[in-house]
Amino acid sequence: TTPQDGYSGAGLTRNQLDFHIFTALLNEIAKERNVAALPGEIAARRAALLQSVGGQEQLSLALVNAGIASIDFDQYLSLLVLQEKLQPIIAPGATDNSQVLQTLRKLLAETAVKMKLTVNPRYGKWNIETNQVEEIDPTGGALPKAQN
């Protein structure tokens, strides 16, 4: 199964790398605040998500369209639980989701600096402002760009 408007090639690799970096950073943020996603909470989130998408077959399609590898699904659910549990801790007075996201972005950037996050240049470069891996030319311009 391939995504409708999803990732492929280097974009898919960067998307997966973004996910795993986000996972490491959010887990560190949660750990520093003594927050954990418990197995029962993850199982409940899985059941709710399965019901909301219409079953296992639809879930597989939804994961592909979201660019989430099936092997990463439990980790994805854990991240959802952590984000939900962290929200009142990191943004206690937040009145809307944008305030929470702004605080989370700041914490992700600070944690990336604290962890001295680096990315192998063949995959790109970590952008501290967007909290994403950006494509770079690993040859420093020594080779012409590929024509599509």
Side-chain angles (χ1 to χ4, degrees), residues 1 5 8 44 50 54 61 77 91 93 100 107-109 116 123 132 135:
T1 307
D5 293 319
S8 63
L50 270 169
L61 182 59
L77 295 172
V100 176
L107 286 172
L108 289 167
K116 299 179 182 172
Y123 300 113
Q132 291 183 317
E135 184 177 13

Side-chain angles (χ1 to χ4, degrees), residues 117-140:
L117 177 67
T118 58
V119 175
N120 184 317
R122 87 170 119 179
Y123 300 113
K125 180 181 179 191
W126 184 253
N127 182 324
I128 199 86
E129 275 131 39
T130 64
N131 290 308
Q132 291 183 317
V133 177
E134 292 182 342
E135 184 177 13
I136 62 169
D137 178 2
T139 69

Side-chain angles (χ1 to χ4, degrees), residues 17-122:
L17 187 55
D18 282 341
F19 174 79
H20 289 285
I21 291 171
F22 179 78
T23 298
L25 295 174
L26 191 67
N27 281 327
E28 182 64 22
I29 291 167
K31 180 180 158 190
E32 289 173 354
R33 288 157 182 79
N34 295 317
V35 174
L38 303 175
E41 294 168 325
I42 295 169
R45 185 58 65 102
R46 173 187 281 277
L49 202 55
L50 270 169
Q51 184 177 5
S52 75
V53 298
Q56 186 63 44
E57 188 174 308
Q58 294 301 319
L59 175 64
S60 296
L61 182 59
L63 290 175
V64 168
N65 286 331
I68 300 169
S70 59
I71 196 168
D72 291 330
F73 184 51
D74 283 343
Q75 187 61 54
Y76 172 74
L77 295 172
S78 175
L79 294 176
L80 292 178
V81 171
L82 287 177
Q83 284 179 297
E84 186 176 283
K85 291 172 88 171
L86 282 168
Q87 182 174 337
I89 296 169
I90 65 171
T95 56
D96 65 51
N97 207 31
S98 67
Q99 292 171 314
V100 176
L101 289 174
Q102 183 179 8
T103 302
L104 182 59
R105 280 189 204 109
K106 182 178 180 244
L107 286 172
L108 289 167
E110 289 170 359
T111 304
V113 169
K114 186 169 38 177
M115 294 176 72
K116 299 179 182 172
L117 177 67
T118 58
V119 175
N120 184 317
R122 87 170 119 179

